[in-house]
Structures are given as structure tokens and as C-alpha cells.
Amino acid sequence: MGVRSNTIVASLSSLLSGLLNAGMLAYSARQGQTGEIAAYSVMTAALTWVANLVMGGSSLLYVSGNDEERSAAHSQRLLFAVPAMVTATMVIAALYVDRGYGITALVSAGSVMILNSLADLRFGDLARQMRFVAASAALTGTRLLAMLLLIAGAPLTTALLAGAAVYLLSTETLACRGPGSARPMWSGLSLRAAVRAFRLTRQLFTYSLAEAFTGRASTIALSLVASPQVVGCFGALISIYQALVAVTFSGLRVPMAVRTRRRHKIGPAQAVNRDSEIISVVGASLIAAAVIATAPWLANDLLALPIREAAFWLQLLALALPFATMNRALSLNRIGDGNYAAATRLTVSIALLLAGGLLVQAAALDPMGAAATTTAAEAIVACTVVLAALSHKYRRSRPGRGPAATPDQERRATPPAGVSGR
């Protein structure tokens, strides 16, 4: 399949997965499982931080790096990250159980994160092999399983845990078969390589940490000043927003994989064009418009959230979607080209703006403020990047400037050899 076809398949499968997630949240909310939603939101937000502190950047290095770098990232994930996430799950559960959160839901949510972290490596193998159809089938199939278990009476976090286990098993089976197959998950581990991964991921570490902060900081900040019910309602909406971001993110991984394969001379060369970015941005804009128009029905009728203002929170988050897509399109393209520093600068800018907005509100923070801050941070950075690009294009088109540089000449895509694999 071509780049455009893979982009559409990856985006549609992620959209279907997002719809299934939304369906699970809606069903759970209508069943009164706001405690389950709150536990899942808090645990995933906190555990994402822990995971990134231990292995920040390893997922991207596993997709974009050479064989040595990928082996190091693999060993780091299993020998350092998984034990750290297990320990952190127990500690976080102990801290939050006294605030009214269920211990079983917290531990189950942590286990979901751990299993998905392992499956992420296998998804990276499938993406590098350009097997996005197989990866999409595994993702949507396991989400459907979780939905069926939820309808059958399982709590939300238990259903998600079963789905995560099947997801890991299916991606493991797919990645270890076919052309360019990977080795089994538990083979080829090296403590020395795992330690070396901390040096190899140093440029992507900051990127991953900033990306995690951007996605999770508002939930964590809100959980410190609001009740579990409010956090549960906001968690349901932020999960919808993150699922929609994942739709566009999945499509944008296709051109990143193409750029990575071209850089490492893997397989036949494929042309890199803007089709994927255009499809993703246009799709994000249409989705955002649909969510804004239907937010009252989604929040108050479908999800049956007990707080009427939740519809406005969702509309604020939906406004961020096109801007978030533009930002991630640029950063993932830079990563595919090996220009990790440029991707890091962009993501850190968003994180700093978000942190500043949350700190200004401090103890007065509420869901509306958290949502507005997220949108403002993404919009400011996206608009700044677009204006800078237009200004650069205008300066180069002025008489006497000479011929415009080619895309390859414009890129600063040559990081140190120990990082890019060159």
C-alpha cells in the first residue's frame, strides 16, 4: 500500500478505536462508574510521567533508530522500565486510595499501561515494516473485545486490562511473523545495551517528557484541587480529546516511517509528499467542528455527565485538535529525518506555555481553565510556526535572493552519529 492509503487506514482504525473508547466511557459514565474513570485517568497520567522519566524517547528511537539503537531501547524497556512501572503502580495506588479511589481500579489501570508499553514496541516493529493494516486490525480488535467485556458486566479498568493483554499477544504474534520479522519479546536482552539506551535517547528524552507533560499535566493538576467526581468528568472528556489526537497521530506515523526507511535505506525508496499532513489536518478540523457542534449531546446525553458545564469543556478541548495535529506533523517529520533537536524545541514550547497557564491559575484551577490552557498552548505554537514558515518563504521569494533551497538543503537533519545511526 502507498503512503496515502496507509495514512487513511491508520487514521480510520485509530478513529474506530477512539469511537470504541468513547463508547466505553459513555457506557461506564451511564452506569455510574465515574470512580473507575477517575482512577484510570489519574493512574495513566501519573504513570506516563514515571515511564517517561525511565525510558523517555525509547519508543521513538525504536522506530527511527538503527539496529543497535533499537536493541538498546528494547532491553531498556524490559529490564528497567517495566520493573519501574510496576513499583510506581503500587506506590501511586497507595497514595490515591486514601483520596477515595478504588485500589482494584488503580492497580488495573496501572497494569493496562504496562502491557500497552510492551505492545508499543511491537507496534513500532509493524510500523517500521509498513504493516499498518495488521497493526490497525490488532488495535481495533482488542478495543472491541474490551467493549464487549464492559457490556457483559466487567468494570471499565478490568475490561481495558483484558483488552491490553490480548493486544500485546496479537502484536507479538504479528511482529514475529512475515518479512523482516522481529525476535520474540523476551529474547536478545542485554543489561549493557539497556544502560547504553539512556545515552542514546538523550535528545529524545526531553521531547518525550514534554509530550507527556502536554497530554497529562492538566489532569494531574486538577486532581490536586478537585474532587474525584470532577476529575472523573474531566477525565472522560480529556480521554476523548486524547483519542482524537491519537487518530491524527496514527496517520502521521506513516510519513515518519517512510522518512526513517529512506534515511536508513530500508527497502525500496518511497517519495515523501504532504498528502499525509493535509489529510490529517483537514480530518482534524472536520472532527473538531463535529465535536463542537455535538458537545452538549455528547457530554450531557451520551456520557450523562452530572456537570452541565462539561459540554463547554469539551468544546474548548476540540478547538485544540487542528493545532495539535499541525504541531505533531512537524515534530514527527523532524524525527523521521533524524532532526531530534527541532522536534524537541517545538514540543518543549507547548509544554512551557501549558505549565505557565496552569501555574497562573494555581489553586483556582477548574476544568474550564485546564481545557482553555491546553487549547491556547497548542494554538500559539502552531500559529507561530505557520507565521515563521510564511515569513521565511516570503524572504526567499524576494528578488535578488537567488533560487530557493531544496527540502533536503533546508533540513538540518544530521545529528551526531551516535544518535542517528549514521
Side-chain angles (χ1 to χ4, degrees):
M1 296 180 70
V3 174
R4 184 183 300 176
S5 300
N6 272 315
T7 299
I8 294 173
V9 168
S11 297
L12 288 178
S13 68
S14 185
L15 177 60
L16 179 57
S17 175
L19 290 173
L20 290 171
N21 274 338
M24 285 188 281
L25 288 170
Y27 187 85
S28 299
R30 294 184 72 88
Q31 295 295 314
Q33 294 190 39
T34 53
E36 287 275 318
I37 297 173
Y40 181 74
S41 300
V42 167
M43 178 58 76
T44 53
L47 206 56
T48 296
W49 276 98
V50 175
N52 275 277
L53 287 173
V54 177
M55 60 178 185
S58 66
S59 293
L60 292 169
L61 185 68
Y62 191 75
V63 175
S64 64
N66 59 24
D67 290 341
E68 178 188 359
E69 293 165 340
R70 298 180 77 240
S71 176
H74 174 233
S75 295
Q76 183 196 48
R77 181 71 56 93
L78 272 76
L79 298 181
F80 285 104
V82 170
M85 292 174 75
V86 170
T87 302
T89 296
M90 299 298 104
V91 173
I92 295 168
L95 291 174
Y96 273 90
V97 71
D98 291 335
R99 295 177 58 88
Y101 294 79
I103 184 67
T104 302
L106 289 166
V107 173
S108 296
S111 300
V112 170
M113 286 287 293
I114 295 168
L115 293 176
N116 283 338
S117 176
L118 293 174
D120 184 56
L121 290 180
R122 287 319 188 200
F123 191 94
D125 286 317
L126 294 172
R128 195 175 172 98
Q129 298 164 12
M130 297 298 290
R131 297 172 62 190
F132 287 95
V133 174
S136 299
L139 177 63
T140 55
T142 51
R143 291 296 187 193
L144 181 59
L145 172 63
M147 178 63 135
L148 293 175
L149 290 174
L150 182 65
I151 294 174
L156 174 64
T157 54
T158 302
L160 291 173
L161 177 58
V166 175
Y167 181 46
L168 174 59
L169 179 61
S170 60
T171 52
E172 171 76 11
T173 302
L174 289 168
C176 293
R177 295 182 179 179
S181 60
R183 293 181 298 180
M185 177 74 71
W186 301 100
S187 66
L189 300 179
S190 166
L191 182 60
R192 179 177 297 179
V195 173
R196 188 167 61 249
F198 290 97
R199 175 178 59 84
L200 296 174
T201 59
R202 64 182 182 272
Q203 289 199 38
L204 287 171
F205 175 83
T206 304
Y207 171 89
S208 297
L209 201 62
E211 183 70 25
F213 181 89
T214 301
R216 308 293 182 178
S218 58
T219 303
I220 294 178
L222 192 63
S223 72
L224 299 177
V225 298
S227 67
Q229 184 188 44
V230 172
V231 176
C233 292
F234 184 76
L237 302 179
I238 200 72
S239 295
I240 292 174
Y241 167 71
Q242 289 167 352
L244 295 176
V245 171
V247 172
T248 57
F249 183 88
S250 296
L252 294 171
R253 292 184 72 162
V254 177
M256 183 184 74
V258 172
R259 291 170 183 270
T260 296
R261 288 169 64 87
R262 185 181 64 175
R263 181 160 55 95
H264 292 299
K265 298 179 173 61
I266 302 172
Q270 290 182 271
V272 178
N273 52 44
R274 297 296 181 187
D275 287 356
S276 294
E277 289 88 340
I278 293 172
I279 291 172
S280 297
V281 173
V282 171
S285 300
L286 293 175
I287 292 172
V291 172
I292 291 171
T294 60
W297 175 76
L298 288 171
N300 301 324
D301 296 327
L302 182 61
L303 294 178
L305 297 179
I307 302 176
R308 301 297 298 178
E309 293 81 3
F312 184 58
W313 308 344
L314 182 57
Q315 289 173 328
L316 286 174
L317 291 171
L319 282 174
L321 188 58
F323 302 110
T325 302
M326 294 171 61
N327 292 329
R328 279 146 190 80
L330 181 59
S331 61
L332 289 179
N333 281 348
R334 292 296 179 264
I335 290 171
D337 289 334
N339 192 353
Y340 304 144
T344 299
R345 286 195 296 270
L346 179 70
T347 310
V348 167
S349 299
I350 300 171
L352 289 176
L353 287 171
L354 179 61
L358 294 174
L359 285 174
V360 166
Q361 297 173 79
L365 180 67
D366 61 8
M368 184 178 69
T373 303
T374 298
T375 300
E378 296 283 1
I380 290 171
V381 173
C383 291
T384 301
V385 169
V386 170
L387 290 175
L390 292 175
S391 175
H392 176 74
K393 184 177 180 179
Y394 171 75
R395 289 197 304 270
R396 296 198 66 82
S397 66
R398 292 174 61 187
R401 289 288 182 176
T406 65
D408 286 338
Q409 291 172 329
E410 289 180 351
R411 276 198 306 267
R412 302 295 189 268
T414 310
V419 176
S420 70
R422 288 182 167 179

